[in-house]
Amino acid sequence: MAGRRVRALAALPLATALALTGCGGDPERRADPAPPTADAGGCPSERAAPDPHRPRVDLRFSLADDRRTVTGRETVEFTPDLPTAELVFRLLPNAPDAAAEGNALTVDAVTGPDVAGSGYEPAGGAGPGGLHVVRLGRTLAPGETTRVRLDFTTRLGSGGFDRLGVADAVSWWGSGAPLLAWEPGTGWARDPYVPLVGETAVSPAADTTVSVTAPADLTVLMTGDQEDPVPAGTGRRTWRAHEPAARDVSVAAGEFTTATEQAGDVRVTSGVLADQDEDGDPDGDPDGRARELAAATADAVRALSERFGPFPYRTLTVPQLPPYGGGIEYPSSVQLAVPTGARRVLVHEVGHMWFYGMVGNSQFRDPWLDESFAGYTETVTDPLPPDEVADALRLPGGVGGAMSDFPDDDRYVATVYEKGAAALVAAREAAGAAAFDAAVRCYVDARAWAVATPADVGTALAGLPAALEVLRDVGALDADDLPD
């Protein structure tokens, strides 16, 4: 999600000022508790399946008629792979910048057979706190399961480019529920919020069900394979969706005009606001703009699938918000806040479906693993000229820094987005396109639905010393990440 928060500073052409910002996979059909076998080159013979013991999350949202208040219930079944006597949830609407816009997430009650109490931790978040910790009455051993229910209220703030907000014709919330902050093999992530526009979360891919009850005049576009809405009382409807492996969830409820297009067996659904054009002015052809956005998104799915392997999800929804600038990625959904013609932003966000959505990472510790790779995906449709690559590689700073290592947004964007993406382009050139593409697909398939580390990249590129040298020189990989 980039969970993460899960905002993309979706890159425009590299070395310029950035705007703030195969088809048809089905992880449930591929699920198999046995790990994939390796071929003669060390790559898995098929893409790794989601962990059969992954969390199960049931989210139920209700958007009030004021379109600013979301009441919710989250039920989590959690089976750790390490001993633990607590569950830690990240409250992304309480991040300082989101809270400054009037957003807030409050946990109202926590229940469950093992629950002994709960409370907030700040972690740099605004009140009531950036984390909510549920204390258990026993220590769970690896493989033991507990079940907790959290009742919560999310308040949506003023419209603007953030994961949550309200505008005249749309309400949207990404990461609008408590986010399970578990990194398999490592434990609970209590990373601090930072005063930058990048993400700071890590979360496991969970079998996730979502329902949204909203005023009947609104159309809901969200994470997951959606069903048709059903009546939910006077003037309201309920929308439901399921995503077999989702790190986080996005919802947009608005006066959308929608269009659908197939990209292989991936169903792409776009939604545009019916009464404004891409500049926010009145427009009489929302149907045409919806079709254009669906077609552009389907083109991106097809192009990136050729390079990185089958698309990770059965569906992709793209609600277009007012043109605040940029995009924010979520599993099988993109909150797009730029005109349809901003192709690089759209491709960047679709690229995140592989790098963050499927191949996860700690977005605080290793932000380059999703943002540099997503920037690199842009070059599939818009190749970078050699002089832009060279200019970006000369930018100061190490690509592999944690979020806390960057002094400001400008340095973070220049280093992780620009320099990181250029380094991957240069590594591909140094190693040879065919060999590099095969190695990246090996990395994608091996670490699908897991939380990757830089060492996983080093392992995938072990046979390409020229590529490793490029990534080492820019500080993306260090000695501990390199193969022996």
Side-chain angles (χ1 to χ4, degrees), residues 248-272:
D248 204 347
V249 168
S250 171
V251 178
E255 299 172 17
F256 290 120
T257 296
T258 63
T260 300
E261 178 156 333
Q262 288 293 129
D265 56 359
V266 179
R267 186 177 75 249
V268 173
T269 303
S270 66
V272 303

Side-chain angles (χ1 to χ4, degrees), residues 5-275:
R5 77 184 178 193
V6 195
R7 166 182 297 181
L9 285 178
L12 294 174
L14 298 180
T16 65
L18 300 185
L20 284 183
T21 66
C23 302
D26 182 352
E28 188 71 9
R29 287 201 299 258
R30 289 196 304 271
D32 183 348
T37 59
D39 64 19
C43 288
S45 57
E46 60 183 12
R47 180 174 288 172
D51 182 354
H53 304 295
R54 64 193 181 279
R56 293 187 177 273
V57 176
D58 181 79
L59 282 165
R60 302 187 184 187
F61 298 106
S62 179
L63 177 65
D65 290 341
D66 67 5
R67 302 192 183 187
R68 288 188 171 275
T69 306
V70 179
T71 55
R73 187 183 81 191
E74 177 176 3
T75 303
V76 177
E77 293 182 8
F78 175 65
T79 306
D81 59 326
L82 298 171
T84 185
E86 62 184 2
L87 274 67
V88 178
F89 294 86
R90 198 164 185 84
L91 309 182
L92 286 142
N94 298 343
D97 58 340
E101 299 297 327
N103 301 295
L105 173 55
T106 303
V107 177
D108 303 312
V110 181
T111 56
D114 296 318
V115 172
S118 69
Y120 292 95
E121 288 185 9
L131 303 174
H132 195 86
V133 180
V134 178
R135 300 184 301 277
L136 303 178
R138 65 187 179 101
T139 298
L140 296 177
E144 287 191 296
T145 300
T146 192
R147 186 174 185 268
V148 300
R149 169 177 156 176
L150 299 91
D151 298 310
F152 61 90
T153 303
T154 302
R155 180 69 177 172
L156 306 180
S158 59
F161 182 61
D162 208 328
R163 65 179 80 79
L164 311 96
V166 178
D168 288 342
V170 60
S171 302
W172 66 98
W173 59 97
S175 307
L179 181 65
L180 193 69
W182 180 260
E183 181 176 352
T186 298
W188 297 112
R190 283 179 158 91
D191 300 312
Y193 294 93
V194 295
L196 300 178
V197 292
E199 297 88 345
T200 58
V202 59
S203 53
D207 189 321
T208 303
T209 302
V210 188
S211 72
V212 180
T213 300
D217 59 336
L218 302 181
T219 295
V220 171
L221 296 174
M222 58 182 165
T223 292
D225 192 349
Q226 293 186 208
E227 301 173 4
D228 292 333
V230 297
T234 304
R236 296 177 69 78
R237 294 189 292 177
T238 295
W239 305 70
R240 293 185 175 88
H242 175 236
E243 190 58 73
R247 301 184 189 279
D248 204 347
V249 168
S250 171
V251 178
E255 299 172 17
F256 290 120
T257 296
T258 63
T260 300
E261 178 156 333
Q262 288 293 129
D265 56 359
V266 179
R267 186 177 75 249
V268 173
T269 303
S270 66
V272 303
L273 297 177
D275 62 351

Side-chain angles (χ1 to χ4, degrees), residues 430-448:
F436 187 81
D437 292 350
V440 171
R441 286 185 71 153
C442 179
Y443 165 67
V444 166
D445 288 345
R447 300 306 292 154

